[in-house]
Amino acid sequence: MLIYADNNATTAVAPEAVEAMRPFLSDCYFNPSSMYDSAADVARRLAGFRADVAHFLRAASPAEVLFTSCATESNNTVLFGTSAANPARRHIVTTAVEHPAILEPCRELERRGYAVTYVPVLPTGELDRAAFVRALRPGETLLVSVMHANNETGVIFPVADLARIVKATDPAILFHTDATQSAGKLPLDLSGELSQVDLLSFSGHKMHAPKGVGALYVRKGTPLRPFLLGGHQESGRRAGTENLPYAAALAAACQLATKHLAEMPRVAAMRDDLQTRLQAAIPFLEVNGATQPRTPNTLSLACHFIEGESILYELNERGICASTGSACSSGSLEPSHVLKAMAIPFTAMHGSLRLSFSAYTTQAEIDALANAIPAVVTSLRRLSPYWNEATGTPRAVPAAPAP
Ligand code: PLP
């Protein structure tokens, strides 16, 4: 049995999304911009998919929804499109724990002369609110971009409150949220709680649509220059012939997400049950972000004295798919920028393990994880000189291979 506990990386494509795509992969292949009835029919259906996404976000109008290729594109569009639309403002505020799809465009804007403030987080994972307020520069700040939920820890930032603070400071500052990890897990209401949010990004493949489709919500009146130039698709705001199959899949995933939201208390209960069992079975285990509101599906652990990659290797041997926060780049193991920003203890920083679930996760999978993870951690620690030094346990010598 394959146990899939890596839903923050990507999700299984829902059968409903596959079915929604099917006609557009065969008979309904027409270009929605063409001038004949079959094309007009496809254009009407595209309008319907846009309305489904708008409904999911509780947007005032489908015209506020742009289909994109992914959340990375949505985020790049926000940073480069708002800066191009208002060159007089040259300061951006974001957080130290954003996804690279925000951090890298910010670094590019810094190279182009922009000032970017990266608001820190506290060791709990909570945003440093005082630093956030201090970062805002009325008359100068162009954009504030704060993720809704963190992809590694699941920690939820109070974006509705933060957007209110921003608008009270200077109503001309734009507020963007990257909702890639909250869409389908937390309710999104751009006409209610999130009514001060101007721009919102999310991605299909984190919510059971295929990889390669996303959306960007742009509140009516928000100044934004297109990031992709070319034809007049998406009301001139994103050129390129529309991807009908994937727009259909995203719309189906948005409809399904409403049902999946109702499943989230069950997912959270399973996550909490697993957390309790692992904490009882594994000494020296940190649960990152545990004191904060978290997305219901995410459990971020840091195991002192061992390496996340070794844990993943052993879990993979047992048919378990999970993730770690450290990234192996150019031969050196860099701990995740999120855990570094949270100042996780050094001996735990490299031993991170992210488990992330979905509405399709079963109790049997949770039970298998509750059994496998302590066994893996125990066996790796027996080989770890750091563990042996810290606990005074003699190091287990691996058996010599048979001659
Ligand atoms: N933003 C966040 C918070 C993410 O977690 C991810 C993907 O992990 C992205 C953006 C990028 O999404 P995509 O793969 O759709 O470009």
Side-chain angles (χ1 to χ4, degrees), residues 128-143:
D128 183 337
R129 194 180 273 255
F132 177 81
V133 172
R134 275 197 309 276
L136 302 174
R137 302 183 194 166
E140 201 185 325
T141 304
L142 164 78
L143 173 77

PDB file of all heavy atoms in Angstrom, residues 128-143:
ATOM      1  N   ASP A 128       5.615  38.524  13.214  1.00  0.00           N
ATOM      2  CA  ASP A 128       5.945  39.591  14.174  1.00  0.00           C
ATOM      3  C   ASP A 128       5.116  40.831  13.792  1.00  0.00           C
ATOM      4  O   ASP A 128       5.483  41.593  12.903  1.00  0.00           O
ATOM      5  CB  ASP A 128       7.454  39.866  14.100  1.00  0.00           C
ATOM      6  CG  ASP A 128       7.893  40.905  15.110  1.00  0.00           C
ATOM      7  OD1 ASP A 128       7.043  41.710  15.550  1.00  0.00           O
ATOM      8  OD2 ASP A 128       9.091  40.908  15.447  1.00  0.00           O
ATOM      9  N   ARG A 129       3.996  40.991  14.489  1.00  0.00           N
ATOM     10  CA  ARG A 129       3.020  42.015  14.107  1.00  0.00           C
ATOM     11  C   ARG A 129       3.590  43.433  14.266  1.00  0.00           C
ATOM     12  O   ARG A 129       3.354  44.299  13.422  1.00  0.00           O
ATOM     13  CB  ARG A 129       1.754  41.849  14.976  1.00  0.00           C
ATOM     14  CG  ARG A 129       0.560  42.612  14.470  1.00  0.00           C
ATOM     15  CD  ARG A 129      -0.613  42.376  15.386  1.00  0.00           C
ATOM     16  NE  ARG A 129      -1.348  41.192  15.003  1.00  0.00           N
ATOM     17  CZ  ARG A 129      -2.538  41.233  14.381  1.00  0.00           C
ATOM     18  NH1 ARG A 129      -3.098  42.381  14.102  1.00  0.00           N
ATOM     19  NH2 ARG A 129      -3.171  40.126  14.072  1.00  0.00           N
ATOM     20  N   ALA A 130       4.370  43.629  15.324  1.00  0.00           N
ATOM     21  CA  ALA A 130       4.940  44.966  15.538  1.00  0.00           C
ATOM     22  C   ALA A 130       5.891  45.309  14.393  1.00  0.00           C
ATOM     23  O   ALA A 130       5.873  46.425  13.861  1.00  0.00           O
ATOM     24  CB  ALA A 130       5.669  45.010  16.876  1.00  0.00           C
ATOM     25  N   ALA A 131       6.690  44.320  13.975  1.00  0.00           N
ATOM     26  CA  ALA A 131       7.615  44.549  12.856  1.00  0.00           C
ATOM     27  C   ALA A 131       6.827  44.795  11.567  1.00  0.00           C
ATOM     28  O   ALA A 131       7.239  45.602  10.725  1.00  0.00           O
ATOM     29  CB  ALA A 131       8.548  43.353  12.686  1.00  0.00           C
ATOM     30  N   PHE A 132       5.691  44.111  11.437  1.00  0.00           N
ATOM     31  CA  PHE A 132       4.855  44.298  10.243  1.00  0.00           C
ATOM     32  C   PHE A 132       4.358  45.747  10.172  1.00  0.00           C
ATOM     33  O   PHE A 132       4.464  46.399   9.132  1.00  0.00           O
ATOM     34  CB  PHE A 132       3.675  43.313  10.301  1.00  0.00           C
ATOM     35  CG  PHE A 132       2.711  43.456   9.155  1.00  0.00           C
ATOM     36  CD1 PHE A 132       2.991  42.881   7.922  1.00  0.00           C
ATOM     37  CD2 PHE A 132       1.533  44.170   9.300  1.00  0.00           C
ATOM     38  CE1 PHE A 132       2.116  43.023   6.847  1.00  0.00           C
ATOM     39  CE2 PHE A 132       0.651  44.321   8.236  1.00  0.00           C
ATOM     40  CZ  PHE A 132       0.948  43.742   7.005  1.00  0.00           C
ATOM     41  N   VAL A 133       3.849  46.228  11.286  1.00  0.00           N
ATOM     42  CA  VAL A 133       3.302  47.596  11.307  1.00  0.00           C
ATOM     43  C   VAL A 133       4.418  48.600  11.018  1.00  0.00           C
ATOM     44  O   VAL A 133       4.244  49.537  10.241  1.00  0.00           O
ATOM     45  CB  VAL A 133       2.607  47.868  12.660  1.00  0.00           C
ATOM     46  CG1 VAL A 133       2.205  49.326  12.788  1.00  0.00           C
ATOM     47  CG2 VAL A 133       1.396  46.954  12.821  1.00  0.00           C
ATOM     48  N   ARG A 134       5.588  48.348  11.633  1.00  0.00           N
ATOM     49  CA  ARG A 134       6.736  49.259  11.417  1.00  0.00           C
ATOM     50  C   ARG A 134       7.195  49.272   9.959  1.00  0.00           C
ATOM     51  O   ARG A 134       7.720  50.269   9.475  1.00  0.00           O
ATOM     52  CB  ARG A 134       7.925  48.820  12.288  1.00  0.00           C
ATOM     53  CG  ARG A 134       7.901  49.353  13.713  1.00  0.00           C
ATOM     54  CD  ARG A 134       9.292  49.237  14.356  1.00  0.00           C
ATOM     55  NE  ARG A 134       9.905  47.923  14.260  1.00  0.00           N
ATOM     56  CZ  ARG A 134       9.692  46.909  15.090  1.00  0.00           C
ATOM     57  NH1 ARG A 134       8.857  47.059  16.115  1.00  0.00           N
ATOM     58  NH2 ARG A 134      10.303  45.742  14.926  1.00  0.00           N
ATOM     59  N   ALA A 135       6.971  48.139   9.263  1.00  0.00           N
ATOM     60  CA  ALA A 135       7.494  48.032   7.887  1.00  0.00           C
ATOM     61  C   ALA A 135       6.734  48.905   6.898  1.00  0.00           C
ATOM     62  O   ALA A 135       7.280  49.278   5.861  1.00  0.00           O
ATOM     63  CB  ALA A 135       7.424  46.569   7.440  1.00  0.00           C
ATOM     64  N   LEU A 136       5.485  49.238   7.208  1.00  0.00           N
ATOM     65  CA  LEU A 136       4.657  49.953   6.227  1.00  0.00           C
ATOM     66  C   LEU A 136       5.125  51.396   6.085  1.00  0.00           C
ATOM     67  O   LEU A 136       5.389  52.067   7.087  1.00  0.00           O
ATOM     68  CB  LEU A 136       3.182  49.928   6.668  1.00  0.00           C
ATOM     69  CG  LEU A 136       2.594  48.527   6.860  1.00  0.00           C
ATOM     70  CD1 LEU A 136       1.185  48.631   7.441  1.00  0.00           C
ATOM     71  CD2 LEU A 136       2.567  47.753   5.539  1.00  0.00           C
ATOM     72  N   ARG A 137       5.242  51.861   4.843  1.00  0.00           N
ATOM     73  CA  ARG A 137       5.683  53.239   4.593  1.00  0.00           C
ATOM     74  C   ARG A 137       4.599  53.938   3.771  1.00  0.00           C
ATOM     75  O   ARG A 137       4.561  53.784   2.532  1.00  0.00           O
ATOM     76  CB  ARG A 137       6.988  53.262   3.797  1.00  0.00           C
ATOM     77  CG  ARG A 137       8.132  52.516   4.477  1.00  0.00           C
ATOM     78  CD  ARG A 137       9.395  52.675   3.602  1.00  0.00           C
ATOM     79  NE  ARG A 137      10.438  51.737   4.009  1.00  0.00           N
ATOM     80  CZ  ARG A 137      11.513  51.459   3.279  1.00  0.00           C
ATOM     81  NH1 ARG A 137      11.673  52.040   2.096  1.00  0.00           N
ATOM     82  NH2 ARG A 137      12.415  50.602   3.694  1.00  0.00           N
ATOM     83  N   PRO A 138       3.713  54.706   4.442  1.00  0.00           N
ATOM     84  CA  PRO A 138       2.639  55.372   3.707  1.00  0.00           C
ATOM     85  C   PRO A 138       3.212  56.253   2.595  1.00  0.00           C
ATOM     86  O   PRO A 138       4.234  56.908   2.789  1.00  0.00           O
ATOM     87  CB  PRO A 138       1.924  56.218   4.779  1.00  0.00           C
ATOM     88  CG  PRO A 138       2.364  55.656   6.083  1.00  0.00           C
ATOM     89  CD  PRO A 138       3.692  54.999   5.877  1.00  0.00           C
ATOM     90  N   GLY A 139       2.575  56.231   1.444  1.00  0.00           N
ATOM     91  CA  GLY A 139       3.021  57.045   0.308  1.00  0.00           C
ATOM     92  C   GLY A 139       4.154  56.415  -0.482  1.00  0.00           C
ATOM     93  O   GLY A 139       4.492  56.877  -1.568  1.00  0.00           O
ATOM     94  N   GLU A 140       4.778  55.369   0.083  1.00  0.00           N
ATOM     95  CA  GLU A 140       5.942  54.776  -0.566  1.00  0.00           C
ATOM     96  C   GLU A 140       5.749  53.280  -0.857  1.00  0.00           C
ATOM     97  O   GLU A 140       6.189  52.766  -1.879  1.00  0.00           O
ATOM     98  CB  GLU A 140       7.152  54.973   0.363  1.00  0.00           C
ATOM     99  CG  GLU A 140       8.480  54.883  -0.324  1.00  0.00           C
ATOM    100  CD  GLU A 140       9.627  54.965   0.685  1.00  0.00           C
ATOM    101  OE1 GLU A 140       9.504  55.707   1.704  1.00  0.00           O
ATOM    102  OE2 GLU A 140      10.623  54.279   0.472  1.00  0.00           O
ATOM    103  N   THR A 141       5.069  52.584   0.083  1.00  0.00           N
ATOM    104  CA  THR A 141       4.887  51.143  -0.106  1.00  0.00           C
ATOM    105  C   THR A 141       3.881  50.902  -1.230  1.00  0.00           C
ATOM    106  O   THR A 141       2.782  51.457  -1.231  1.00  0.00           O
ATOM    107  CB  THR A 141       4.406  50.471   1.203  1.00  0.00           C
ATOM    108  OG1 THR A 141       5.341  50.765   2.234  1.00  0.00           O
ATOM    109  CG2 THR A 141       4.287  48.969   1.045  1.00  0.00           C
ATOM    110  N   LEU A 142       4.290  50.031  -2.158  1.00  0.00           N
ATOM    111  CA  LEU A 142       3.446  49.687  -3.303  1.00  0.00           C
ATOM    112  C   LEU A 142       2.518  48.543  -2.947  1.00  0.00           C
ATOM    113  O   LEU A 142       1.314  48.574  -3.215  1.00  0.00           O
ATOM    114  CB  LEU A 142       4.369  49.259  -4.461  1.00  0.00           C
ATOM    115  CG  LEU A 142       3.733  48.505  -5.616  1.00  0.00           C
ATOM    116  CD1 LEU A 142       3.000  49.480  -6.518  1.00  0.00           C
ATOM    117  CD2 LEU A 142       4.792  47.745  -6.415  1.00  0.00           C
ATOM    118  N   LEU A 143       3.113  47.503  -2.349  1.00  0.00           N
ATOM    119  CA  LEU A 143       2.423  46.217  -2.220  1.00  0.00           C
ATOM    120  C   LEU A 143       2.850  45.537  -0.923  1.00  0.00           C
ATOM    121  O   LEU A 143       4.023  45.574  -0.558  1.00  0.00           O
ATOM    122  CB  LEU A 143       2.835  45.322  -3.405  1.00  0.00           C
ATOM    123  CG  LEU A 143       2.374  43.877  -3.398  1.00  0.00           C
ATOM    124  CD1 LEU A 143       0.893  43.804  -3.799  1.00  0.00           C
ATOM    125  CD2 LEU A 143       3.202  43.029  -4.369  1.00  0.00           C
TER     126      LEU A 143
END
